Amino acid sequence: MSVPASGLHQDDVRYLAMRDEIWRGLAARPRKLSSKWFYDEAGSALFERICEQDEYYVTRTELALMREHVAAMAKMLGPQVMLVEYGSGSGEKTRLLLDHLERPAAYVPIEISRTALRDSVAQLRQAYPALEVVALNADFTEPLLLPRPHGPVRRPVVYFPGSTLGNFNRREAVDLLIRMRQLMGPNGRALVGIDLKKDPLLIEAAYNDGAGVTAAFTLNLLARLNRELDADFDLQQFHHRARYNVMRGRVETFIVSRCAQRVSVAGRPFAFAADEAMAVEISCKYTVSEFAGMAAAAGLGVTHVWTDRRAWFAVVLLEP
Ligand code: AVI
Protein backbone atom coordinates (compact mmCIF):
# COMPACT_ATOMS: atom_id res chain seq x y z
CA MET A 1 0.00 0.00 0.00
CA SER A 2 1.55 3.37 -0.94
CA VAL A 3 -0.73 5.57 1.17
CA PRO A 4 1.14 7.58 3.83
CA ALA A 5 0.62 6.21 7.35
CA SER A 6 -0.97 9.52 8.42
CA GLY A 7 -3.81 8.90 5.94
CA LEU A 8 -4.56 5.44 7.28
CA HIS A 9 -7.11 4.33 9.83
CA GLN A 10 -5.60 2.95 13.05
CA ASP A 11 -6.86 -0.54 12.18
CA ASP A 12 -5.05 -0.34 8.81
CA VAL A 13 -1.85 0.63 10.61
CA ARG A 14 -2.27 -2.36 12.94
CA TYR A 15 -2.99 -4.64 9.96
CA LEU A 16 0.10 -3.49 8.06
CA ALA A 17 2.32 -3.76 11.15
CA MET A 18 1.07 -7.32 11.75
CA ARG A 19 1.41 -8.31 8.11
CA ASP A 20 4.96 -6.98 7.85
CA GLU A 21 6.07 -8.62 11.09
CA ILE A 22 4.54 -11.97 10.08
CA TRP A 23 6.09 -11.75 6.61
CA ARG A 24 9.49 -11.05 8.18
CA GLY A 25 9.15 -14.02 10.53
CA LEU A 26 8.09 -16.36 7.72
CA ALA A 27 10.95 -15.18 5.50
CA ALA A 28 13.59 -15.64 8.24
CA ARG A 29 15.62 -18.86 8.56
CA PRO A 30 14.80 -20.56 10.82
CA ARG A 31 11.27 -19.19 10.64
CA LYS A 32 10.12 -17.50 13.82
CA LEU A 33 6.84 -15.88 14.87
CA SER A 34 6.25 -14.11 18.19
CA SER A 35 4.03 -15.86 20.74
CA LYS A 36 2.22 -12.53 21.22
CA TRP A 37 0.17 -13.49 18.13
CA PHE A 38 -1.36 -16.42 20.06
CA TYR A 39 -3.71 -14.13 21.95
CA ASP A 40 -6.67 -13.24 19.78
CA GLU A 41 -10.10 -14.00 21.25
CA ALA A 42 -9.95 -17.71 20.39
CA GLY A 43 -6.35 -18.00 21.61
CA SER A 44 -7.12 -16.27 24.91
CA ALA A 45 -10.05 -18.66 25.46
CA LEU A 46 -7.80 -21.64 24.70
CA PHE A 47 -5.20 -20.32 27.12
CA GLU A 48 -7.87 -20.21 29.84
CA ARG A 49 -8.55 -23.89 29.10
CA ILE A 50 -4.81 -24.72 29.25
CA CYS A 51 -4.78 -23.30 32.78
CA GLU A 52 -7.39 -25.91 33.76
CA GLN A 53 -5.49 -28.91 32.38
CA ASP A 54 -4.08 -31.35 34.95
CA GLU A 55 -0.63 -31.25 33.36
CA TYR A 56 -0.40 -27.44 33.39
CA TYR A 57 0.71 -26.99 37.00
CA VAL A 58 1.72 -23.34 36.51
CA THR A 59 -1.58 -21.54 37.19
CA ARG A 60 -2.72 -23.81 40.02
CA THR A 61 0.63 -23.57 41.77
CA GLU A 62 0.82 -19.79 41.53
CA LEU A 63 -2.74 -19.41 42.75
CA ALA A 64 -2.11 -21.64 45.79
CA LEU A 65 1.03 -19.64 46.55
CA MET A 66 -0.88 -16.37 46.30
CA ARG A 67 -3.66 -17.63 48.58
CA GLU A 68 -1.09 -18.61 51.17
CA HIS A 69 1.08 -15.49 51.07
CA VAL A 70 -1.03 -12.63 49.74
CA ALA A 71 -1.56 -11.07 53.19
CA ALA A 72 2.21 -10.89 53.74
CA MET A 73 2.71 -9.43 50.25
CA ALA A 74 0.08 -6.75 50.81
CA LYS A 75 1.60 -5.85 54.17
CA MET A 76 5.04 -5.35 52.61
CA LEU A 77 3.59 -3.17 49.84
CA GLY A 78 1.82 -0.89 52.31
CA PRO A 79 -1.24 1.36 51.91
CA GLN A 80 -2.48 3.42 48.93
CA VAL A 81 -0.81 1.35 46.26
CA MET A 82 -1.50 2.03 42.59
CA LEU A 83 -1.55 -1.54 41.29
CA VAL A 84 -0.29 -1.64 37.69
CA GLU A 85 -0.84 -5.02 36.09
CA TYR A 86 1.01 -6.16 32.98
CA GLY A 87 -1.79 -7.92 31.12
CA SER A 88 -5.46 -7.68 32.00
CA GLY A 89 -6.28 -9.57 35.11
CA SER A 90 -9.85 -9.94 36.20
CA GLY A 91 -8.76 -13.30 37.57
CA GLU A 92 -8.48 -14.56 41.08
CA LYS A 93 -4.84 -13.52 41.59
CA THR A 94 -5.61 -9.85 40.94
CA ARG A 95 -8.68 -9.98 43.18
CA LEU A 96 -6.69 -11.60 45.98
CA LEU A 97 -4.23 -8.72 45.86
CA LEU A 98 -6.92 -6.05 45.63
CA ASP A 99 -8.79 -7.66 48.53
CA HIS A 100 -5.72 -7.58 50.75
CA LEU A 101 -4.13 -4.24 49.83
CA GLU A 102 -4.84 -1.47 52.32
CA ARG A 103 -6.90 1.29 50.65
CA PRO A 104 -5.61 0.67 47.08
CA ALA A 105 -5.38 3.99 45.22
CA ALA A 106 -6.09 2.66 41.73
CA TYR A 107 -5.87 -0.36 39.49
CA VAL A 108 -4.19 0.09 36.11
CA PRO A 109 -4.28 -2.91 33.74
CA ILE A 110 -2.03 -2.60 30.68
CA GLU A 111 -3.25 -4.85 27.91
CA ILE A 112 -2.65 -4.92 24.16
CA SER A 113 -5.91 -6.74 23.32
CA ARG A 114 -8.82 -4.31 23.34
CA THR A 115 -11.44 -7.01 23.85
CA ALA A 116 -9.58 -8.69 26.74
CA LEU A 117 -9.08 -5.30 28.38
CA ARG A 118 -12.71 -4.27 27.96
CA ASP A 119 -14.01 -7.54 29.44
CA SER A 120 -11.69 -7.61 32.44
CA VAL A 121 -12.26 -3.93 33.26
CA ALA A 122 -16.04 -4.41 33.13
CA GLN A 123 -15.78 -7.33 35.56
CA LEU A 124 -13.48 -5.49 37.94
CA ARG A 125 -15.58 -2.32 37.98
CA GLN A 126 -18.54 -4.44 38.96
CA ALA A 127 -16.64 -6.25 41.70
CA TYR A 128 -14.91 -3.09 43.05
CA PRO A 129 -17.27 -0.15 42.39
CA ALA A 130 -15.28 2.19 44.67
CA LEU A 131 -11.90 1.45 43.09
CA GLU A 132 -10.52 3.77 40.42
CA VAL A 133 -9.71 1.64 37.37
CA VAL A 134 -7.63 3.25 34.62
CA ALA A 135 -7.32 0.92 31.64
CA LEU A 136 -4.33 1.33 29.31
CA ASN A 137 -4.73 -0.26 25.88
CA ALA A 138 -1.02 -0.53 25.18
CA ASP A 139 1.95 -2.85 24.74
CA PHE A 140 3.80 -3.05 28.06
CA THR A 141 7.07 -3.75 26.27
CA GLU A 142 6.94 -0.17 24.89
CA PRO A 143 7.74 3.01 26.89
CA LEU A 144 4.69 4.10 28.94
CA LEU A 145 3.62 6.85 31.33
CA LEU A 146 1.55 6.11 34.42
CA PRO A 147 -1.82 7.83 34.82
CA ARG A 148 -2.52 10.20 37.72
CA PRO A 149 -5.36 8.78 39.80
CA HIS A 150 -7.70 11.14 41.69
CA GLY A 151 -6.71 9.92 45.15
CA PRO A 152 -3.27 9.96 46.82
CA VAL A 153 -0.76 7.30 45.74
CA ARG A 154 1.97 6.15 48.12
CA ARG A 155 3.62 3.91 45.59
CA PRO A 156 3.11 2.28 42.21
CA VAL A 157 3.41 -1.51 42.26
CA VAL A 158 3.79 -3.41 39.01
CA TYR A 159 2.17 -6.85 39.13
CA PHE A 160 3.39 -9.24 36.45
CA PRO A 161 2.01 -12.70 37.29
CA GLY A 162 1.77 -15.97 35.38
CA SER A 163 5.44 -16.35 34.45
CA THR A 164 4.74 -14.35 31.31
CA LEU A 165 8.25 -12.90 31.65
CA GLY A 166 9.41 -16.42 30.71
CA ASN A 167 7.98 -15.90 27.23
CA PHE A 168 10.78 -13.39 26.55
CA ASN A 169 14.42 -14.25 25.95
CA ARG A 170 17.03 -12.95 28.40
CA ARG A 171 17.77 -9.73 26.49
CA GLU A 172 14.08 -8.93 26.03
CA ALA A 173 13.33 -9.82 29.65
CA VAL A 174 16.07 -7.50 30.95
CA ASP A 175 14.77 -4.71 28.67
CA LEU A 176 11.27 -5.29 30.01
CA LEU A 177 12.52 -5.16 33.61
CA ILE A 178 14.34 -1.89 32.82
CA ARG A 179 11.10 -0.41 31.46
CA MET A 180 9.34 -1.69 34.59
CA ARG A 181 11.89 0.08 36.81
CA GLN A 182 11.46 3.30 34.84
CA LEU A 183 7.68 3.05 35.02
CA MET A 184 7.43 2.42 38.75
CA GLY A 185 10.01 5.06 39.74
CA PRO A 186 12.36 5.12 42.76
CA ASN A 187 9.63 4.39 45.32
CA GLY A 188 7.98 1.68 43.24
CA ARG A 189 7.93 -2.07 43.70
CA ALA A 190 7.24 -5.02 41.43
CA LEU A 191 5.75 -8.43 42.12
CA VAL A 192 6.79 -10.85 39.40
CA GLY A 193 5.67 -14.47 39.03
CA ILE A 194 8.30 -16.87 37.69
CA ASP A 195 8.17 -20.58 36.96
CA LEU A 196 11.08 -22.41 38.59
CA LYS A 197 13.28 -25.19 37.22
CA LYS A 198 12.04 -28.65 38.13
CA ASP A 199 11.82 -32.21 36.74
CA PRO A 200 12.04 -31.75 32.94
CA LEU A 201 9.36 -34.42 32.41
CA LEU A 202 6.86 -32.44 34.46
CA ILE A 203 7.68 -29.29 32.55
CA GLU A 204 7.43 -30.94 29.16
CA ALA A 205 4.11 -32.59 30.04
CA ALA A 206 2.66 -29.19 30.94
CA TYR A 207 3.13 -28.08 27.32
CA ASN A 208 1.85 -31.34 25.82
CA ASP A 209 -1.43 -31.96 27.65
CA GLY A 210 -3.25 -35.19 26.85
CA ALA A 211 -6.45 -33.44 25.75
CA GLY A 212 -4.52 -31.55 23.05
CA VAL A 213 -5.57 -28.08 24.26
CA THR A 214 -2.02 -26.70 24.05
CA ALA A 215 -1.69 -28.10 20.52
CA ALA A 216 -4.95 -26.37 19.56
CA PHE A 217 -3.68 -23.15 21.19
CA THR A 218 -0.45 -23.28 19.17
CA LEU A 219 -2.19 -24.07 15.87
CA ASN A 220 -4.73 -21.31 16.47
CA LEU A 221 -1.90 -19.00 15.44
CA LEU A 222 -2.25 -20.32 11.88
CA ALA A 223 -6.05 -20.09 12.10
CA ARG A 224 -5.63 -16.46 13.17
CA LEU A 225 -3.40 -15.74 10.16
CA ASN A 226 -6.09 -17.32 7.97
CA ARG A 227 -8.74 -15.09 9.56
CA GLU A 228 -6.83 -11.83 9.76
CA LEU A 229 -4.22 -11.97 6.99
CA ASP A 230 -6.21 -13.90 4.42
CA ALA A 231 -3.74 -16.80 4.66
CA ASP A 232 -4.57 -20.36 3.54
CA PHE A 233 -2.82 -22.60 6.09
CA ASP A 234 -4.33 -26.09 6.16
CA LEU A 235 -4.22 -26.81 9.91
CA GLN A 236 -4.28 -30.59 9.28
CA GLN A 237 -0.92 -30.26 7.55
CA PHE A 238 0.90 -28.79 10.58
CA HIS A 239 1.47 -30.03 14.11
CA HIS A 240 2.50 -28.69 17.51
CA ARG A 241 5.83 -29.68 19.07
CA ALA A 242 6.99 -28.54 22.53
CA ARG A 243 10.28 -29.75 24.00
CA TYR A 244 12.07 -28.76 27.19
CA ASN A 245 15.63 -27.71 26.35
CA VAL A 246 17.41 -28.57 29.60
CA MET A 247 20.61 -26.77 28.67
CA ARG A 248 18.77 -23.53 27.98
CA GLY A 249 16.20 -24.02 30.76
CA ARG A 250 13.24 -23.33 28.52
CA VAL A 251 10.37 -24.98 26.71
CA GLU A 252 10.67 -24.36 22.98
CA THR A 253 7.47 -24.63 21.00
CA PHE A 254 7.32 -25.10 17.25
CA ILE A 255 4.76 -25.48 14.51
CA VAL A 256 6.00 -28.25 12.20
CA SER A 257 4.96 -28.75 8.59
CA ARG A 258 3.82 -32.35 7.96
CA CYS A 259 4.75 -32.21 4.26
CA ALA A 260 6.27 -30.02 1.55
CA GLN A 261 3.65 -27.36 0.89
CA ARG A 262 3.02 -23.81 -0.28
CA VAL A 263 1.02 -21.29 1.69
CA SER A 264 -0.10 -17.78 0.84
CA VAL A 265 -0.16 -15.06 3.53
CA ALA A 266 -1.64 -11.66 2.65
CA GLY A 267 -0.95 -12.41 -1.02
CA ARG A 268 2.67 -13.50 -0.54
CA PRO A 269 3.66 -17.14 -1.16
CA PHE A 270 5.81 -19.18 1.28
CA ALA A 271 7.13 -22.71 0.68
CA PHE A 272 7.52 -25.12 3.61
CA ALA A 273 9.69 -28.25 3.46
CA ALA A 274 8.45 -31.50 5.01
CA ASP A 275 9.23 -31.49 8.78
CA GLU A 276 10.30 -27.86 8.69
CA ALA A 277 9.85 -26.32 12.16
CA MET A 278 8.82 -22.74 12.83
CA ALA A 279 9.67 -21.37 16.31
CA VAL A 280 6.61 -19.81 17.95
CA GLU A 281 7.21 -19.65 21.71
CA ILE A 282 9.76 -20.01 24.49
CA SER A 283 8.78 -20.49 28.14
CA CYS A 284 11.85 -19.92 30.31
CA LYS A 285 12.22 -21.61 33.69
CA TYR A 286 14.57 -20.06 36.24
CA THR A 287 16.34 -20.64 39.51
CA VAL A 288 15.80 -17.76 41.92
CA SER A 289 19.46 -16.77 41.58
CA GLU A 290 19.29 -16.77 37.76
CA PHE A 291 16.29 -14.50 37.99
CA ALA A 292 18.01 -12.26 40.56
CA GLY A 293 20.94 -11.93 38.11
CA MET A 294 18.57 -10.77 35.38
CA ALA A 295 16.87 -8.32 37.74
CA ALA A 296 20.26 -6.94 38.81
CA ALA A 297 21.16 -6.39 35.15
CA ALA A 298 18.03 -4.19 35.01
CA GLY A 299 18.95 -2.28 38.18
CA LEU A 300 16.44 -4.11 40.39
CA GLY A 301 17.06 -6.02 43.61
CA VAL A 302 15.16 -9.05 44.85
CA THR A 303 14.03 -8.20 48.37
CA HIS A 304 11.67 -11.10 49.05
CA VAL A 305 10.82 -14.45 47.47
CA TRP A 306 7.67 -16.47 48.14
CA THR A 307 7.50 -20.04 46.84
CA ASP A 308 5.01 -22.88 47.12
CA ARG A 309 5.87 -25.92 49.26
CA ARG A 310 7.37 -27.84 46.34
CA ALA A 311 9.32 -24.78 45.14
CA TRP A 312 7.81 -25.07 41.67
CA PHE A 313 6.88 -21.40 41.31
CA ALA A 314 7.99 -18.14 42.89
CA VAL A 315 6.58 -14.66 43.32
CA VAL A 316 9.43 -12.23 43.71
CA LEU A 317 9.38 -8.73 45.18
CA LEU A 318 11.64 -6.31 43.31
CA GLU A 319 12.89 -2.89 44.35
CA PRO A 320 14.99 -0.35 42.45
C1 AVI B 1 1.40 -17.09 29.21
N1 AVI B 1 2.54 -17.98 29.37
C2 AVI B 1 3.20 -17.78 30.65
C3 AVI B 1 2.23 -19.41 29.12
C4 AVI B 1 3.50 -20.27 29.33
O1 AVI B 1 3.45 -21.18 30.18
O2 AVI B 1 4.52 -20.00 28.71
C5 AVI B 1 1.72 -19.61 27.71
C6 AVI B 1 1.54 -21.06 27.35
N2 AVI B 1 1.95 -21.61 26.26
C7 AVI B 1 1.64 -22.89 26.24
N3 AVI B 1 1.05 -23.19 27.38
C8 AVI B 1 0.95 -22.03 28.10
Side-chain angles (χ1 to χ4, degrees):
M1 217 185 274
S2 57
V3 192
S6 59
L8 292 175
H9 187 268
Q10 208 196 353
D11 284 342
D12 299 326
V13 176
R14 282 184 199 236
Y15 171 87
L16 292 176
M18 178 179 182
R19 185 200 66 180
D20 290 352
E21 192 182 319
I22 297 290
W23 274 355
R24 245 181 283 125
L26 291 173
R29 293 294 178 274
R31 297 181 206 263
K32 190 172 169 221
L33 300 180
S34 164
S35 59
K36 74 179 178 199
W37 302 115
F38 282 157
Y39 300 94
D40 66 347
E41 215 169 323
S44 300
L46 282 163
F47 179 63
E48 296 292 313
R49 283 182 54 207
I50 288 178
C51 296
E52 293 160 8
Q53 301 306 301
D54 286 346
E55 296 92 335
Y56 195 72
Y57 60 84
V58 181
T59 313
R60 246 179 294 117
T61 309
E62 183 179 22
L63 196 50
L65 185 168
M66 289 300 290
R67 286 191 188 123
E68 194 173 339
H69 298 292
V70 68
M73 293 175 189
K75 198 164 171 213
M76 276 194 191
L77 297 174
Q80 293 172 322
V81 156
M82 170 161 63
L83 190 65
V84 180
E85 181 160 353
Y86 280 19
S88 58
S90 56
E92 196 176 336
K93 287 172 275 179
T94 309
R95 286 166 190 241
L96 274 170
L97 260 177
L98 289 171
D99 288 344
H100 285 83
L101 284 171
E102 191 185 334
R103 288 175 286 127
Y107 173 66
V108 183
I110 307 175
E111 167 65 57
I112 200 165
S113 155
R114 270 179 290 186
T115 48
L117 187 64
R118 192 193 52 215
D119 295 350
S120 74
V121 165
Q123 286 177 32
L124 270 166
R125 287 211 170 110
Q126 210 174 12
Y128 300 91
L131 179 70
E132 187 174 347
V133 179
V134 187
L136 292 186
N137 182 205
D139 179 352
F140 56 67
T141 64
E142 300 289 332
L144 291 165
L145 284 177
L146 283 181
R148 278 177 191 274
H150 299 302
V153 175
R154 285 267 188 96
R155 74 162 39 115
V157 172
V158 173
Y159 184 42
F160 193 25
S163 194
T164 303
L165 189 74
N167 296 132
F168 297 87
N169 66 32
R170 188 189 154 91
R171 186 181 38 77
E172 293 164 340
V174 170
D175 284 350
L176 188 49
L177 290 167
I178 291 171
R179 291 220 192 283
M180 196 181 279
R181 175 171 57 78
Q182 292 164 341
L183 189 72
M184 69 198 193
N187 191 37
R189 301 283 184 273
L191 272 182
V192 180
I194 53 169
D195 196 19
L196 298 176
K197 286 190 166 144
K198 60 185 72 61
D199 181 349
L201 291 177
L202 273 171
I203 296 177
E204 205 164 280
Y207 293 81
N208 291 282
D209 63 278
V213 182
T214 308
F217 170 73
T218 305
L219 292 175
N220 175 62
L221 172 54
L222 302 185
R224 178 177 186 183
L225 301 184
N226 287 352
R227 284 190 291 269
E228 294 184 30
L229 290 185
D230 197 24
D232 59 0
F233 285 98
D234 177 353
L235 269 60
Q236 303 300 320
Q237 299 307 327
F238 291 87
H239 67 93
H240 151 97
R241 182 198 292 154
R243 297 282 181 272
Y244 184 56
N245 182 332
V246 186
M247 296 303 288
R248 302 188 81 170
R250 65 191 206 181
V251 176
E252 297 171 345
T253 301
F254 302 92
I255 293 177
V256 183
S257 177
R258 291 189 190 276
C259 57
Q261 55 184 320
R262 291 177 78 80
V263 177
S264 161
V265 179
R268 183 167 161 186
F270 293 93
F272 286 84
D275 296 320
E276 186 176 343
M278 175 161 63
V280 290
E281 186 182 54
I282 55 166
S283 299
C284 300
K285 312 299 169 188
Y286 310 100
T287 63
V288 170
S289 64
E290 280 167 353
F291 177 76
M294 246 166 48
L300 291 166
V302 172
T303 53
H304 204 93
V305 180
W306 291 273
T307 61
D308 57 290
R309 282 173 199 155
R310 292 180 295 197
W312 281 6
F313 198 93
V315 172
V316 178
L317 181 63
L318 297 173
E319 291 185 24

